[in-house]
Amino acid sequence: MSASSRVDTSKVARWWRSVDRVTLSATGVLIALGYILMLAASPAVASRIGASRDMFILKQVIFLSIAGAIVLAVSSLSLTGVRRLALIGSVVALAATALTLVHGVEIKGARRWIALPLMSVQPSEFLKPCFAVATAWLLARRRTQRYFPGLLLAFGVFGVILMLLKSQPDIGMLSVITMVFMTQLFVDGLPLFFVAAGVAAMGGAFMMAYIVFPHVRSRVERFLHPNVGDHYQIDTALRAFGNGGLLGRGPGEGRVKDLLPDAHADFVFAVAGEEFGLLVCLGIVCVFLVIVLRTLLKLMREDDPFVIVGASGLVTGFGLQAFVNMGSTLHLIPTKGMTLPLISYGGSSAMSIALTIGMVLALTRKRVGSNAMQERYQPAGDALYRRRAA
């Protein structure tokens, strides 16, 4: 056998032939944009707090490098490997999220982070991808095991997450996870009556959050009544988009990063608008749309319920997070401190998004021939799903 043949049949070669290279390339573009916008936005923020101008840049280089490695490693997993990673990750993330209520770092009245020697970790970030895949497995397994209480277990885990996030509180994260869960139930075949009931329950929960949590009430009222309250951050962000125009003021020429405390995180999209202009912002939106729509199109040709429900939940959480960040910056929705995936500063966010995309790539890889049969039946031991005859 020639050397080229041995290389061609290697694990890396098989991964490269089977992985969705469009989504992988779009992810690489987001990571590159994260580097560029961190160079643009973070030095001014670091100087304002008395730190080294390169502090955020150096940290984000490390975070995004780790994120890239996570994408590649997780995308090479089998379906069984993704399932096991999600189940273990769900248990660890739930335990760590509960720990934040006791030993968490309190910032702006919320306990969402655990302080580590080199960084603070937000465990709930990792709940999004792990819970989505774990839910998909629970819902899928009940189809193959008659008395397996998959739906009941999924609701039970969701109830635990609800109580933990409400106690922190983190209503934004809870809203995203709820939307992911409802989407998965709908994709799994939940009757429309129960979908409508779930939407109504979400509306009731939102009204309760508006009544109970002052910060939620403040954000909604400031959104509905632009002339009331403090609108400094939103007004500054909107002026930045106006100043940028079509082509932007040029790299390093923006001023919004000197004015907003979270220009490198929650408002990094405003920095992109001012320095690089409308066309680049539309390009960023298109990159997110490519990942979401490409995944959904691939799922239309899929017939494995575990893959369909799992990837649907993952891509819903990914797309919703991007929409919330950009929508908040553009004042299309009430403000919510949520990062722009792989572009905003943040270690927990970058790694959780990398885990999300890695799982999406692993679930949507091409699986044909005997390798596909082995992966689906032998390692999992769950008698997953036989493909329909052509």
Side-chain angles (χ1 to χ4, degrees):
M1 182 181 295
S2 66
S4 60
S5 300
R6 290 196 298 271
V7 172
D8 188 58
T9 58
S10 68
K11 185 176 181 179
V12 174
R14 291 197 302 271
W15 168 82
W16 179 248
R17 288 196 301 268
S18 63
V19 76
D20 181 7
R21 280 169 274 183
V22 173
T23 300
L24 186 64
S25 299
T27 303
V29 171
L30 288 181
I31 291 176
L33 288 169
Y35 283 125
I36 294 170
L37 287 172
M38 203 51 48
L39 287 170
S42 66
V45 178
S47 296
R48 194 160 52 244
I49 63 174
S52 168
R53 287 177 59 85
D54 297 330
M55 181 187 73
F56 292 119
I57 296 174
L58 294 176
K59 284 188 175 181
Q60 193 69 352
V61 166
I62 296 172
F63 294 152
L64 291 178
S65 298
I66 296 173
I70 290 173
V71 170
L72 296 178
V74 175
S75 67
S76 66
L77 294 177
S78 65
L79 295 181
T80 303
V82 174
R83 184 200 70 190
R84 288 173 178 168
L85 177 62
L87 293 176
I88 295 171
S90 295
V91 173
V92 173
L94 277 172
T97 302
L99 185 63
T100 61
L101 303 179
V102 181
H103 297 290
V105 178
E106 184 172 340
I107 301 177
K108 298 180 181 179
R111 290 183 175 273
R112 304 171 187 170
W113 297 268
I114 295 176
L116 297 178
L118 298 178
M119 62 179 289
S120 294
V121 176
Q122 185 177 352
S124 59
E125 285 280 1
F126 298 92
L127 277 176
K128 288 183 294 182
C130 293
F131 176 65
V133 175
T135 296
W137 175 71
L138 290 171
L139 296 177
R141 186 164 182 177
R142 72 191 179 100
R143 295 173 179 268
T144 60
Q145 293 192 3
R146 184 175 180 182
Y147 298 108
F148 184 76
L151 185 61
L152 183 62
L153 289 173
F155 269 101
V157 176
F158 174 73
V160 173
I161 293 174
L162 187 152
M163 296 304 298
L164 290 174
L165 296 183
K166 183 184 75 68
S167 300
Q168 286 185 336
D170 191 348
I171 304 304
M173 183 69 70
L174 178 58
S175 300
V176 171
I177 291 179
T178 301
M179 286 297 297
V180 169
F181 186 50
M182 293 301 299
T183 299
Q184 290 186 290
L185 292 177
F186 176 72
V187 171
D188 189 57
L190 189 72
L192 286 177
F193 171 80
F194 294 105
V195 174
V199 172
M202 288 178 60
F206 177 78
M207 291 301 299
M208 184 62 67
Y210 176 84
I211 295 170
V212 172
F213 299 107
H215 71 284
V216 175
R217 183 165 57 253
S218 173
R219 287 175 176 174
V220 173
E221 290 177 351
R222 281 183 290 168
F223 175 75
L224 296 176
H225 307 288
N227 297 323
V228 178
D230 180 15
H231 295 269
Y232 172 75
Q233 294 196 92
I234 286 297
D235 291 343
T236 303
L238 293 177
R239 281 197 301 271
F241 286 108
N243 294 336
L246 188 65
L247 300 176
R249 301 180 64 173
E253 298 299 321
R255 293 294 173 263
V256 68
K257 60 195 178 188
D258 298 317
L259 303 173
L260 292 180
D262 293 323
H264 63 317
D266 298 346
F267 288 94
V268 72
F269 195 54
V271 176
E274 185 176 30
E275 299 200 1
F276 300 101
L278 175 64
L279 293 181
V280 169
C281 287
L282 290 177
I284 292 172
V285 173
C286 288
V287 175
F288 285 112
L289 284 175
V290 164
I291 294 176
V292 173
L293 295 179
R294 175 74 176 182
T295 302
L296 294 178
L297 287 173
K298 288 183 71 67
L299 293 181
M300 291 178 66
R301 300 189 294 271
E302 180 62 59
D303 54 18
D304 184 335
F306 171 62
V307 171
I308 295 172
V309 176
S312 296
L314 291 168
V315 80
T316 297
F318 173 81
L320 189 59
Q321 180 170 336
F323 170 76
V324 168
N325 178 278
M326 293 185 287
S328 297
T329 306
L330 292 167
H331 201 47
L332 300 177
I333 59 175
T335 56
K336 172 66 188 85
M338 192 168 287
T339 58
L340 189 59
L342 295 178
I343 295 179
S344 294
Y345 174 80
S348 296
S349 174
M351 293 176 197
S352 70
I353 292 297
L355 183 61
T356 298
I357 296 178
M359 287 179 168
V360 168
L361 290 170
L363 291 174
T364 57
R365 279 170 55 197
K366 297 175 185 176
R367 293 176 173 85
V368 295
S370 59
N371 288 336
M373 296 295 289
Q374 284 184 345
E375 182 173 315
R376 287 182 183 277
Y377 304 119
Q378 292 181 4
D382 294 331
L384 282 177
Y385 309 101
R386 297 187 178 276
R387 293 186 175 275
R388 292 191 294 267

